[in-house]
Amino acid sequence: MTGRLRLEGWKRAYAVVLCLVVLAAGGIAWTQWQGRAERSVTLLGNWTGADEARFKKEVLEPFEAEHGISVVYQGSSAESQVLAADVEAGAPPDVVIMPGPGELAEYAALRRLKPLDGLFDPDHYGPMWTPRIAGGVYWVPVKVDLKSMVWYPAAVPEADLPALARKPGEWCLALESGATSGWPGTDWVEDVLLQQAGWRKYQDWATGRLSWKDDAVRQAWETWRDLVGAGDRKRVERALLGGFADPWGGERPTCTTQRLEHQASFVRAGGHWSAAEGRYVHSKALIPRARKDLTAWEVSGDLAAMLRDTPEARALIRYLADPGTARLGFTANRAVPEGAYAEDPAEGGNGSGKGGTGSAKGGTDPTKGAIDATLRGRGTMRCWDASDAMPPAMRDAFHQAALRFLADPAELPERLAVLEELRVRHRGAAWLPAVCGES
């Protein structure tokens, strides 16, 4: 009984910590956009620290020099809360760059976004990247990443991976990401569902048409549980406190001897995977009961949208969509020459946001070329990261459910019931009509 009391106390403590993280993020005051030059544009993004510095140097400074327009940039890891407060206060930024289309779709439905028609050629992108919703095109990808990937060191034979994948101790797992903590866990659940149930059922779920209590959804959670050892106190503690951006180092390294990591393309620029000459396999090769007859990839992206229609904002959108603009990691723009990333020095980084801007690294890189081909090639089925595509309330609840489930997988029925109730309650929200496409 004493051991059970300690366990219950530990669970309550972590629940309190998680709630405090969310409350702290939500308590951020709205931002006054100050210091505007005569010709200026305000920009809100989620890149901070080294990622922000690189974004300014490689994209914003050249834009300012070319157009004579000053960019007033604010980066925040709690971007959703900052933007909501700014919009509510009547002082939105001119342009925002956000991860995923779900939140932007909601702002478009509320007529808060300005259409981007005429500012770039939508034929440069597949329809899933730049869909027409609410009568127009409202965002353009600035940077994209490939998911459905399992990374492993070059020294590990690929034939050994299935056996390693059945050992929870071999998986690097870190879920801390500030106000968006939990998304590496939702990535797991999403990808397992995609590989086990196929893209059609995945799309029904990600667009609000499939119940969270569906057997396929429940099986995805249970598969993740078994793969990573959910409920194991020591592993859970490391995963909840470990930052996703640097799980292999920092003050509290989450991963030390693990050889597998389920993570997006941006991790390859991290110190650990660079040193280990990281390679990847499609996740379906290691996910139990994955469908072998279908191949689909989960993807994510940072999308630029316009909240105030000014000449300066239009100029910035055109610049960000220009195929000749410096690329921060990978692009969805088909006007960029095929094979550019096999030689291009830009890497998809692992910075402070949900996928960083990257760091320079020269030389031919066939792995990058393969990732680029998957992201932009025709005939490849790609599906948006489901939580990024869901309305914000659904997304945030999903993040929290992943954290709680990892700590106590026995609560799965309760977690799914809460999520299903929220889905039903938000049936009238701005769900995307589709999240998958192969064009």
Side-chain angles (χ1 to χ4, degrees):
M1 179 62 72
T2 301
R4 179 174 178 79
L5 288 174
R6 288 200 198 98
L7 180 60
E8 292 301 323
W10 170 78
K11 291 176 186 174
R12 287 194 296 271
Y14 273 102
V16 171
V17 170
L18 295 174
C19 289
L20 288 175
V21 169
V22 175
L23 289 172
I28 296 176
W30 65 280
T31 302
Q32 291 276 8
W33 294 101
Q34 297 176 343
R36 296 180 62 131
E38 184 175 343
R39 291 200 69 204
S40 66
V41 56
T42 55
L43 173 61
L44 174 66
N46 71 339
W47 294 320
T48 61
D51 288 332
E52 177 181 340
R54 181 171 178 244
F55 179 51
K56 288 180 175 178
K57 180 179 180 181
E58 297 192 11
V59 178
L60 299 185
E61 289 177 11
F63 168 79
E64 291 175 324
E66 179 179 335
H67 292 273
I69 298 172
S70 175
V71 180
V72 182
Y73 176 80
Q74 179 188 5
S76 174
S77 61
E79 182 184 21
S80 293
Q81 292 82 2
V82 172
L83 180 61
D86 287 349
V87 169
E88 181 66 23
D94 300 325
V95 176
V96 65
I97 298 177
M98 301 200 77
E103 193 157 357
L104 292 177
E106 187 168 87
Y107 280 113
L110 294 172
R111 305 297 181 188
R112 299 288 192 176
L113 301 184
K114 307 302 180 183
L116 305 185
D117 300 81
L119 299 184
F120 68 95
D121 187 348
D123 289 340
H124 289 170
Y125 302 86
M128 70 151 290
W129 295 112
T130 55
R132 291 192 68 84
I133 62 169
V137 174
Y138 289 93
W139 56 76
V140 60
V142 175
K143 172 186 175 292
V144 298
D145 276 296
L146 185 63
K147 297 193 172 185
S148 299
M149 312 171 85
V150 174
W151 292 90
Y152 67 98
V156 175
E158 187 173 332
D160 292 352
L161 298 182
L164 294 177
R166 293 192 292 270
K167 301 176 181 178
E170 292 289 355
W171 289 101
C172 172
L173 185 64
L175 276 65
E176 195 283 321
S177 183
T180 59
S181 291
W183 69 259
T186 63
D187 275 10
W188 258 112
V189 175
E190 294 159 1
D191 196 21
V192 173
L193 178 61
L194 177 61
Q195 306 312 326
Q196 290 182 337
W199 69 267
R200 287 182 176 84
K201 178 156 282 194
Y202 176 93
Q203 178 163 261
D204 285 344
W205 170 67
T207 55
R209 298 193 293 266
L210 181 70
S211 170
W212 285 84
K213 296 181 180 181
D214 186 89
D215 287 344
V217 178
R218 176 188 50 76
Q219 179 176 281
W221 285 87
E222 292 173 346
T223 300
W224 179 44
R225 173 199 66 197
D226 296 341
L227 282 168
V228 303
D232 178 271
R233 179 174 180 176
K234 190 172 183 180
R235 275 189 60 71
V236 169
E237 181 177 358
R238 290 199 306 266
L240 291 179
L241 297 179
F244 87 95
D246 188 18
W248 302 92
E251 296 181 3
R252 297 180 61 93
T254 304
C255 305
T256 51
T257 61
Q258 289 77 14
R259 288 176 282 182
L260 302 176
E261 185 173 13
H262 179 272
Q263 192 50 277
S265 51
F266 62 79
V267 301
R268 191 165 184 272
H272 169 78
W273 287 117
S274 295
E277 299 179 9
R279 299 178 180 179
Y280 72 90
V281 295
H282 193 295
S283 59
K284 76 174 185 178
L286 304 181
I287 291 175
R289 298 179 295 280
R291 291 184 60 171
K292 305 304 181 185
D293 60 323
L294 295 175
T295 298
W297 296 84
E298 192 177 1
V299 297
S300 64
D302 293 282
L303 310 174
M306 186 167 63
L307 289 96
R308 297 182 69 248
D309 191 347
T310 69
E312 294 79 12
R314 286 173 162 261
L316 181 58
I317 292 292
R318 288 192 187 97
Y319 187 81
L320 293 173
D322 189 327
T325 298
R327 296 182 296 280
L328 298 172
F330 294 97
T331 183
N333 193 323
R334 289 185 181 138
V336 175
E338 184 178 350
Y341 280 90
E343 299 289 342
D344 192 273
E347 288 275 1
N350 65 338
S352 56
K354 187 177 177 179
T357 60
S359 58
K361 182 180 179 181
T364 300
D365 193 333
T367 299
K368 287 172 61 182
I371 294 171
D372 176 44
T374 303
L375 283 166
R376 295 196 290 154
R378 297 182 185 274
T380 300
M381 180 58 68
R382 293 175 286 261
C383 297
W384 270 110
D385 175 312
S387 62
D388 285 351
M390 292 174 178
M394 192 81 256
R395 173 202 63 199
D396 294 345
F398 190 10
H399 289 171
Q400 289 302 304
L403 296 170
R404 292 177 179 275
F405 174 77
L406 186 67
D408 189 354
E411 292 184 355
L412 180 59
E414 290 88 343
R415 300 275 75 79
L416 295 181
V418 170
L419 291 169
E420 175 59 12
E421 180 183 349
L422 190 62
R423 180 190 73 89
V424 172
R425 194 188 315 158
H426 284 78
R427 278 179 176 167
W431 295 83
L432 291 173
V435 299
C436 297
E438 58 182 351
S439 60

